[in-house]
Amino acid sequence: MLPRIRILARWRAGKTPSRSLAFPTARFQSSQSTAQGSRIDRITSKLPRRLQKYTNGLRNAPVSHVVSFLILHELTAVVPLFVLFGFFHYTNYVPLGYMTEHFGNYVDSSVAKFERYFSRKGWAGFEKQTEGVNSIPRAGSEDPEARTEEAVQRWQSGDQKYKIVVEVALAYALTKVLLPVRIIGSVWATPWFANVMVRLRSKVLGK
């Protein structure tokens, strides 16, 4: 009976909680690592099978490499989108014919996506729409190909808001087409970027 009383007294005095606190931290780190691993699997599964061998090492890579790869992957999605849009917008070179001929599905889905998004936000000259209201109530609007054709016609007729929609949609579609290149490039640059991040972190913590 006396040993039980001593154990209870120690627990009330706060001498044992350190053991219980270590477990949730380890469990959180494990779940975070699992989430990052599943995210990498989702990204790399979009590669052709012949290219997936170049990304197998990420599953057993250090945490710094995994985080670096995920950051690079996001950067290779955002930066090209803005760069391509700026190029299309300010040079008036828009490879619409080539993109619709070879990657028509990407273009159609992208035009519909940004047309709805700009209408919902009230951006690029679109009137802000409430949820549940179609941004452009016209016949055939549910057909992605028809929506793209009409968006292109409005752009060619001088409608500036559709000029932006088409240019952003093409930039987004081309960024998706370049996904294999983006992933392989991110894998190649991961060790260098991880080294940069580790050095930067040590400098910040050192101060």
Side-chain angles (χ1 to χ4, degrees), residues 113-132:
K113 175 187 180 72
F114 285 101
E115 186 183 36
R116 288 193 302 267
Y117 184 75
F118 288 164
S119 296
R120 189 168 65 250
K121 295 293 185 179
W123 291 353
F126 284 90
E127 293 184 4
K128 188 173 183 179
Q129 303 292 327
T130 57
E131 293 292 335

Side-chain angles (χ1 to χ4, degrees), residues 24-38:
T25 302
R27 183 171 58 184
F28 172 76
Q29 292 175 346
S30 176
S31 62
Q32 189 178 30
S33 177
T34 302
Q36 290 176 343
S38 62

Side-chain angles (χ1 to χ4, degrees), residues 68 72 184-194:
S68 297
L72 285 170
I184 297 301
S186 298
V187 172
W188 176 79
T190 288
W192 168 81
F193 192 67

Side-chain angles (χ1 to χ4, degrees), residues 64-125:
S64 60
H65 283 59
V66 174
V67 173
S68 297
F69 170 78
L70 294 175
I71 293 174
L72 285 170
H73 177 69
E74 293 300 324
L75 289 176
T76 59
V78 175
V79 174
L81 176 62
F82 284 97
V83 170
L84 289 169
F85 166 70
F87 178 77
F88 295 154
H89 189 73
Y90 292 106
T91 64
N92 291 322
Y93 174 76
V94 181
L96 183 61
Y98 179 85
M99 289 294 296
T100 53
E101 181 181 354
H102 294 85
F103 309 105
N105 291 334
Y106 285 145
V107 175
D108 293 339
S109 61
S110 299
V111 168
K113 175 187 180 72
F114 285 101
E115 186 183 36
R116 288 193 302 267
Y117 184 75
F118 288 164
S119 296
R120 189 168 65 250
K121 295 293 185 179
W123 291 353

Side-chain angles (χ1 to χ4, degrees), residues 6 26 28 50 52 55 61 67 89 100 117 143 147 154 186:
R6 289 178 178 175
F28 172 76
R50 66 180 183 276
Q52 291 185 12
T55 62
V67 173
H89 189 73
T100 53
Y117 184 75
D143 182 5
R147 291 186 76 147
R154 294 193 178 199
S186 298

